[in-house]
Amino acid sequence: DAVRSGRTVRWKEVSTYPAGQRTGEVAVTPLYDARGIATHLVGVVHDITGREHLEQTLHVREERLAFLLRLNDALRPLRDPVEIQNVTVRLLGEHLGVNRVTYSVVEGDEFIVTTSYERNVPPFRGRFSIGSFGSTLIHEYRRGEPVTCSDVRTDPRLKDADRAKLLALGSGAFLRALLHKEGHWVATFGVNTATPRDWTRDEVTLVQETAEHMWSAAERASTEAALREHAQRLRGVLNASHAGWWALNI
């Protein structure tokens, strides 16, 4: 192309070395003799791996912020905590292109799946033992750090019985963000894919931020609902007071 066009031709090329992949920007320029015949090609390669990585990082962060803004706009007008949960798991599931997103609350040694988004996998709701789908991971859950599994079939941390139950539910990989409040494990935000998936650091961060955002929105809605109920009861008391006699149990 450089000889035919008579101009410098540039392209990006990814090469694999023992130390890892590098991205280079290649530039090839033709040289001509006095008769106008191309006699040489001069090639220059610039290593732009760092620049490419930075651009990709910025792009992913912009996408994460855009999603959180979209989520915030969707949740702002909602007043029902359950509706807030339903909208959150659906939007996150669609954004990540996963097969299931669940939200469950923890009660003692059990968890209750209160809402779930599914795509091409069986529905998943109900009350289960904390160790039902990964008994060997309980100590990791209690620490509060995100727990990831890129391939249920090969993860050595899983027992065969847990592996079989997860695969039966269409879970080939999972990411779990644990919500701890005042030192207690109170809820879990789970993301699952039917096939293996290597979870990125940005995906883990996004799920964590989404879980916290949903928790705050649901808590706000519950508080506002309680205040509205209290105000309504107070108005009833005041109206009754005009009739002469009333009683209120608080």
Side-chain angles (χ1 to χ4, degrees), residues 7-30:
R7 295 179 296 181
T8 298
V9 176
R10 292 181 172 84
W11 69 90
K12 294 180 183 178
E13 190 169 295
V14 178
S15 302
T16 302
Y17 300 96
Q21 287 189 335
R22 309 295 295 181
T23 302
E25 184 178 65
V26 183
V28 175
T29 303

Side-chain angles (χ1 to χ4, degrees), residues 20-238:
Q21 287 189 335
R22 309 295 295 181
T23 302
E25 184 178 65
V26 183
V28 175
T29 303
L31 297 180
Y32 299 88
D33 61 16
R35 297 171 297 171
I37 298 175
T39 58
H40 297 81
L41 289 173
V42 178
V44 178
V45 180
H46 295 285
D47 188 342
I48 59 171
T49 305
R51 189 182 77 190
E52 288 285 296
H53 177 70
L54 178 60
E55 289 178 354
Q56 178 63 22
T57 299
L58 292 174
H59 175 69
V60 170
R61 288 180 180 175
E62 287 173 357
E63 282 191 333
R64 188 173 77 235
L65 290 175
F67 170 77
L68 292 173
L69 287 173
R70 190 165 73 253
L71 176 64
N72 185 65
D73 290 341
L75 299 185
R76 187 183 299 112
L78 303 183
R79 296 292 177 264
D80 181 5
V82 175
E83 188 177 5
I84 288 173
Q85 294 173 11
N86 289 336
V87 170
T88 301
V89 297
R90 176 180 59 81
L91 288 179
L92 182 64
E94 293 172 348
H95 177 74
L96 292 177
V98 296
N99 298 98
R100 180 186 291 115
V101 180
T102 61
Y103 175 73
S104 56
V105 295
V106 177
E107 292 186 356
D109 292 329
E110 296 181 319
F111 68 93
I112 306 166
V113 181
T114 59
T115 187
S116 180
Y117 159 85
E118 289 107 4
R119 181 175 61 86
N120 301 326
V121 290
F124 181 59
R125 287 171 180 78
R127 180 185 288 266
F128 307 90
S129 167
I130 287 176
S132 295
F133 303 95
S135 56
T136 55
L137 299 176
I138 293 178
H139 66 286
E140 294 189 42
Y141 298 153
R142 295 195 183 281
R143 282 207 307 265
E145 296 297 323
V147 176
T148 62
C149 170
S150 60
D151 192 343
V152 167
R153 294 182 182 276
T154 61
D155 195 311
R157 297 172 299 174
L158 297 173
K159 294 182 178 179
D160 289 342
D162 297 330
R163 198 186 319 277
K165 285 185 285 188
L166 286 165
L167 293 173
L169 286 168
S171 180
F174 60 79
L175 189 171
R176 291 171 183 163
L178 299 311
L179 286 169
H180 284 243
K181 301 298 177 182
E182 298 180 355
H184 298 287
W185 176 20
V186 296
T188 302
F189 210 84
V191 179
N192 301 262
T193 56
T195 56
R197 176 164 175 163
D198 290 323
W199 305 99
T200 67
R201 182 180 302 176
D202 288 286
E203 287 173 336
V204 173
T205 300
L206 176 61
V207 173
Q208 286 180 291
E209 292 177 343
T210 300
E212 291 289 348
H213 199 84
M214 189 199 71
W215 174 273
S216 298
E219 285 290 289
R220 182 203 70 228
S222 297
T223 301
E224 291 175 351
L227 290 174
R228 286 194 298 271
E229 181 182 356
H230 181 73
Q232 186 175 3
R233 294 176 65 192
L234 183 59
R235 281 194 299 270
V237 169
L238 294 174

